[in-house]
Amino acid sequence: MRHIISILLENEAGALSRVSGLFSARAFNIESLTVAPTEDPSLSRMTIVSVGSDDVIEQITKQLNKLIEVVKVVDLSEAAHIERELMLVKVRATGKDREEMKRIADIFRGRIIDVTESTYVIELTGNNAKLDAFLDAIDRTLILETVRTGVCGIGRGDRILKV
Amino acid sequence: MVLTGAEILIRCLQEEKVEFVFGYPGGSVLYIYDEMFKQDKFKHVLVRHEQAAVHAADAYSRSSQKIGVCLVTSGPGVTNAVTGIATAYMDSIPLVVITGQVPTAYIGQDAFQECDTVGITRPCVKHNFLVKDVKDLATTIKKAFYLAKTGRPGPVLVDIPKDVTNHKCEFSYPKSVTMRSYNPVTKGHTGQIKKAVQLLLEAKRPMIYAGGGVILSDAAELLKKLVKALGFPITNTLMGLGGYPGTDPQFLGMLGMHGTVEANMAMQHCDVLLAIGARFDDRVIGSPDHFAEQPRKIIHIDIDPSSISKRVKVDVPIVGGVSEVLEDLMKQLELAEAKPDAKALADWWQQIAEWRAKDCLKYKQGSKLIMPQFVIQKLYEVTGGNAFVSSDVGQHQMWAAQYYKFDKPRRWINSGGLGTMGFGLPAAMGVHFANPKATVACVTGEASIQMCIQELSTCKQYRLPIKIINLNNRYLGMVRQWQEMFHGNRYAESYIDALPDFVKLAEAYGHVGMQITKPEDVEPALRRAFTEHKNDLVFMDFITDQTANVFPMVAAGKGLSQMILAEDL
Ligand SMILES: Cc1ncc(C[n+]2csc(CCOP(=O)(O)OP(=O)(O)O)c2C)c(N)n1
């Protein structure tokens, strides 16, 4: 099963490599990893998407908790949560493709944030599936480049991850 | 008071009541050595290889419950130390490892003797630090000692660039540390402990399986009380030996790959298993699938939640320090109205007696070749079972574990987790520094001893009267045993050719050497070594039967009840 693990950790040099090193040393899977400081600059918030059986995910959370710099760990997918990912896609946009590209971007609530004579950069946020669907909807041969941030997530309502 | 980084470090070590620092100097730690030279509150022990510094600090800790401290230089000093650090990490031994680093401005420039110490050691330390500012030094050292010893213990490394040891700042040693991200649980959950007591009292075929956690948590006395109160059988892991008295009738011997029939069978066939400070290691329970074939209820006490339900699913997890939890468990047991089921227990002990009757550790000592088991048995008799015994890795290690009955904790010093050849001799040195009056023996093989043989020189310098028991079978014995059993007798590179004359070698280092070739000389030679040569290091080279194998044996990946016994072959 796919799980979204949220981690609050000390914003210290090396903390990221402790987490990524743990995943490779113990052969845990990482689909994506995002990290940035929080409103309290001494803390970072990390979101890891991993696929594994319940036993494996249990080990992952326990092993993460064991890292000295990790303050808190939650498996967001255990309860109601929201996940988002940001994608930037550079596409070839010439002739009649320009109109078509704009139309599809609108349908997906994407925004064109850079325009040249022959290209667009489209910004899109959503969950994984939505971003994948957008890529499927446009003509693949027109894609020049895609960049995705990886998933970040947050619990709904009163579920709060804080020190 | 304004001090340099080097002065601060020395003051911190003094504040921590460090007695010995095991180390080896080099460019990046010269300010530190200079300051150390000017003080006499603690001593420095100069080893001959950094690996030995870490093993010695490690065994100092294992044999004394204090924190071991070592100090090495940057680059090759660190890489040499890595084996020692990984060894301590696998066995959860509290160490503080101080490493020199190139000056901060040179970091990342491929400077002379630079290596990414924090990166290289990250996977084999509990935690590590790079101190970039002298203002952080004292708190970092305080944290290092705190982290090493609390929770699940382990080595903590502090990397200090050379310029930091020469920069100055105001010094005050923090009285305590709090870290919002580190709050290990020590007290077990009362509800879980009650459940455990209930299960134990309902058990028909109970079994207790205790590991190194008992020793690390200084819980041997409590464990004995509990086992006596319950009347249950108990086994120890390789790391747990001495955590329960080896000569007690309720003790079934060690379990695992080379465990006794009674311990392994009771483990496999029990209906309630109480696991204490042990981690269901592959060398201990064999295949988890086979282990699961006989359903049983499992209670698991461990300070590290990630050790629980890692290889084997447990029914009653109890996270906490072994001594804290056992204390609460005893209290709950005393409050409980029920008593263990005497009738069921009697039947269970009857079954165990049948397994015991197999006498699986028997061997024959003939008149020609010395059997290695015989040497250990005699070592046990001659030392009255009171020696500290360090060991290397291989067959000799298993025989020492099987035939030396440890009644007390912290007497059996071996690299159980990493299985590091070369550990034995430097470990014996560390034991000696922690217990200067004790009898210390190092059980080794002719291959293992050569991995840190240079330490004979350290032993000379510090007059360490260690007795080296070299079970010399001219083979990488454990490798040869696997090749004989699983690789069609093809002894690829396991014969050790061109062995040195160990007697002369010992003499060259200024020690006493003896070679023993006949069974009847074993005991007299041991007696001479431990009496006449009490104050000398004696290298005892026992020429043993080359074909001897360690039994019982559970082949890798098999289950605990699938043992091969000596008589099967
Ligand atoms: C550093 C290291 N290298 C290799 C091994 C693999 N190994 C395990 S036991 C063994 C043989 C040890 O031979 P010896 O010290 O003579 O002991 P014996 O088994 O003969 O008693 C080897 C090579 C190891 N455990 N450690």
Side-chain angles (χ1 to χ4, degrees):
Chain A
M1 245 257 295
R2 175 170 174 277
H3 290 254
I4 303 174
I5 299 163
S6 249
I7 307 160
L8 213 48
L9 72 167
E10 298 290 349
N11 183 10
E12 274 167 21
L16 169 62
S17 45
R18 281 182 219 283
V19 173
S20 59
L22 168 70
F23 275 73
S24 62
R26 294 193 182 264
F28 297 144
N29 153 289
I30 297 190
E31 269 196 359
S32 70
L33 184 158
T34 70
V35 61
T38 64
E39 79 285 2
D40 169 357
S42 71
L43 286 169
S44 292
R45 172 86 176 239
M46 186 183 277
T47 310
I48 294 180
V49 177
S50 182
V51 176
S53 64
D54 289 350
D55 291 351
V56 170
I57 300 295
E58 182 183 331
Q59 261 302 307
I60 291 178
T61 50
K62 283 174 167 178
Q63 294 290 350
L64 283 168
N65 266 313
K66 209 164 120 177
L67 294 177
I68 306 296
E69 284 153 340
V70 167
V71 185
K72 277 196 177 157
V73 180
V74 290
D75 181 351
L76 283 182
S77 20
E78 272 177 353
H81 65 279
I82 300 162
E83 58 174 281
R84 285 291 180 275
E85 185 173 2
L86 170 72
M87 176 167 70
L88 302 177
V89 194
K90 189 179 285 179
V91 290
R92 185 169 307 289
T94 50
K96 69 171 181 2
D97 290 338
R98 277 179 97 79
E99 250 324 286
E100 176 64 3
M101 205 51 91
K102 165 107 182 48
R103 202 178 60 80
I104 300 178
D106 284 344
I107 293 172
F108 281 83
R109 296 180 205 284
R111 295 197 305 147
I112 297 172
I113 55 173
D114 182 58
V115 180
T116 67
E117 273 169 20
S118 58
T119 64
Y120 284 158
V121 174
I122 302 165
E123 174 199 302
L124 204 67
T125 51
N127 60 18
N128 269 97
K130 174 179 163 184
L131 304 191
D132 291 345
F134 176 76
L135 294 178
D136 287 340
I138 60 177
D139 180 350
R140 286 250 153 188
T141 61
L142 298 178
I143 300 175
L144 299 172
E145 218 179 309
T146 63
V147 194
R148 293 170 76 146
T149 56
V151 171
C152 69
I154 197 162
R156 279 187 186 272
D158 292 338
R159 275 185 99 206
I160 289 162
L161 181 61
K162 233 182 155 39
V163 279
Chain B
M1 185 185 347
V2 174
L3 301 177
T4 66
E7 287 169 327
I8 289 173
L9 175 62
I10 301 301
R11 290 287 295 270
C12 292
L13 297 181
Q14 293 170 344
E15 293 277 345
E16 290 292 340
K17 311 259 182 314
V18 170
E19 299 173 298
F20 296 101
V21 170
F22 300 87
Y24 206 88
S28 67
V29 286
L30 282 179
Y31 288 117
I32 300 173
Y33 271 87
D34 201 28
E35 285 312 317
M36 206 159 55
F37 188 77
K38 299 176 192 161
Q39 62 88 49
D40 56 7
K41 289 224 172 92
F42 62 82
K43 294 201 172 61
H44 179 269
V45 176
L46 178 69
V47 293
R48 300 299 182 265
H49 187 293
E50 288 87 351
Q51 179 185 348
V54 190
H55 288 332
D58 167 326
Y60 170 86
S61 174
R62 291 183 201 237
S63 63
S64 72
Q65 82 187 76
K66 296 174 197 157
I67 299 177
V69 180
C70 41
L71 169 61
V72 300
T73 195
S74 65
V78 169
T79 54
N80 272 352
V82 167
T83 301
I85 298 170
T87 302
Y89 181 65
M90 282 294 264
D91 292 342
S92 307
I93 306 303
L95 291 186
V96 171
V97 182
I98 294 156
T99 57
Q101 182 55 279
V102 300
T104 30
Y106 293 27
I107 291 178
Q109 316 257 317
D110 301 316
F112 177 63
Q113 294 195 325
E114 178 181 1
C115 73
D116 175 8
T117 301
V118 165
I120 288 175
T121 58
R122 190 180 296 122
C124 59
V125 292
K126 180 168 175 186
H127 198 58
N128 58 19
F129 298 93
L130 170 63
V131 183
K132 285 193 176 152
D133 187 332
V134 67
K135 289 198 218 63
D136 300 330
L137 184 57
T139 28
T140 306
I141 299 292
K142 182 80 194 174
K143 278 186 190 168
F145 277 87
Y146 170 65
L147 288 172
K149 186 74 186 174
T150 51
R152 180 174 180 172
V156 178
L157 182 143
V158 184
D159 197 26
I160 314 176
K162 185 167 185 175
D163 55 328
V164 172
T165 62
N166 195 32
H167 291 163
K168 288 185 177 168
C169 81
E170 180 66 30
F171 170 70
S172 75
Y173 198 58
K175 293 260 170 312
S176 62
V177 224
T178 44
M179 296 168 78
R180 62 180 170 188
S181 63
Y182 177 75
N183 301 292
V185 176
T186 53
K187 213 166 153 49
H189 188 279
T190 312
Q192 293 292 90
I193 294 176
K194 282 191 180 147
K195 266 196 224 163
V197 167
Q198 196 180 344
L199 263 183
L200 289 171
L201 293 176
E202 286 166 3
K204 305 279 181 234
R205 299 185 310 280
M207 177 69 172
I208 300 174
Y209 144 61
V214 171
I215 293 168
L216 290 166
S217 170
D218 288 311
E221 278 305 316
L222 273 168
L223 176 64
K224 191 168 164 192
K225 254 202 226 160
L226 177 76
V227 176
K228 287 291 157 194
L230 288 167
F232 292 178
I234 175 167
T235 178
N236 274 152
T237 65
L238 179 66
M239 290 308 297
L241 293 175
Y244 190 82
T247 52
D248 186 273
Q250 276 166 262
F251 185 61
L252 305 191
M254 179 174 76
L255 84 165
M257 182 172 268
H258 295 296
T260 63
V261 168
E262 50 273 33
N264 285 348
M265 294 301 276
M267 199 58 191
Q268 191 68 13
H269 294 282
C270 62
D271 68 342
V272 174
L273 178 65
L274 172 60
I276 309 174
R279 57 189 177 88
F280 295 89
D281 177 288
D282 55 294
R283 288 299 196 257
V284 167
I285 62 149
S287 144
D289 293 339
H290 183 276
F291 189 65
E293 278 171 20
Q294 300 278 342
R296 57 177 95 53
K297 292 277 183 220
I298 303 178
I299 304 157
H300 189 178
I301 304 169
D302 205 290
I303 188 114
D304 178 2
S306 74
S307 281
I308 297 178
S309 292
K310 181 173 68 180
R311 300 194 73 241
V312 165
K313 258 247 162 311
V314 310
D315 303 279
V316 184
I318 304 174
V319 177
V322 171
S323 51
E324 286 89 339
V325 174
L326 287 189
E327 204 152 318
D328 290 349
L329 198 84
M330 272 310 284
K331 279 193 204 129
Q332 293 292 340
L333 199 62
E334 280 157 13
L335 291 176
E337 301 198 337
K339 294 277 160 271
D341 183 338
K343 165 80 182 60
L345 257 183
D347 291 348
W348 180 225
W349 275 111
Q350 181 57 39
Q351 167 67 72
I352 290 169
E354 280 170 35
W355 289 324
R356 237 182 202 161
K358 281 235 166 225
D359 195 10
C360 66
L361 294 180
K362 67 174 175 282
Y363 64 92
K364 268 202 217 77
Q365 175 58 66
S367 60
K368 288 212 171 59
L369 296 175
I370 299 175
M371 294 304 287
Q373 300 93 323
F374 180 68
V375 179
I376 304 295
Q377 203 180 319
K378 288 295 160 193
L379 173 69
Y380 175 71
E381 290 171 16
V382 168
T383 56
N386 280 320
F388 284 77
V389 178
S390 76
S391 106
D392 268 300
V393 173
Q395 291 181 312
H396 61 271
Q397 174 191 26
M398 292 301 126
W399 286 316
Q402 290 174 329
Y403 294 88
Y404 201 101
K405 310 283 177 214
F406 294 93
D407 275 340
K408 295 194 190 121
R410 300 189 181 277
R411 295 289 169 105
W412 165 239
I413 311 291
N414 87 129
S415 162
L418 198 68
T420 309
M421 290 170 68
F423 177 79
L425 179 56
M429 303 187 327
V431 171
H432 189 86
F433 282 104
N435 308 272
K437 297 210 177 71
T439 302
V440 185
C442 165
V443 174
T444 185
E446 76 295 338
S448 290
I449 192 70
Q450 294 192 75
M451 286 213 179
C452 273
I453 193 87
Q454 74 287 343
E455 297 308 316
L456 285 174
S457 170
T458 312
C459 293
K460 182 66 189 172
Q461 180 173 343
Y462 297 93
R463 299 168 193 279
L464 308 179
I466 295 161
K467 306 296 177 275
I468 297 175
I469 312 297
N470 188 38
L471 300 181
N472 186 345
N473 53 11
R474 284 81 71 211
Y475 273 107
L476 301 175
M478 189 55 93
V479 174
R480 189 201 53 73
Q481 174 167 346
W482 282 54
Q483 289 171 333
E484 177 185 327
M485 296 171 72
F486 314 118
H487 298 277
N489 298 310
R490 289 179 299 281
Y491 298 133
E493 306 298 325
S494 57
Y495 182 71
I496 293 270
D497 212 345
L499 279 176
D501 177 334
F502 286 111
V503 173
K504 280 195 191 144
L505 186 73
E507 288 168 0
Y509 276 108
H511 301 301
V512 177
M514 295 181 183
Q515 190 178 64
I516 303 95
T517 55
K518 295 197 210 98
E520 67 266 28
D521 294 339
V522 170
E523 186 172 340
L526 283 166
R527 290 208 182 276
R528 246 189 307 132
F530 284 97
T531 53
E532 229 172 275
H533 293 293
K534 190 171 186 303
N535 298 320
D536 300 319
L537 184 149
V538 186
F539 193 115
M540 309 190 73
D541 188 22
F542 291 93
I543 307 301
T544 60
D545 183 348
Q546 293 189 286
T547 62
N549 284 334
V550 184
F551 292 113
M553 176 164 190
V554 178
K558 296 279 189 198
L560 277 184
S561 56
Q562 299 166 311
M563 280 168 282
I564 308 167
L565 301 183
E567 65 199 31
D568 295 341
L569 301 172

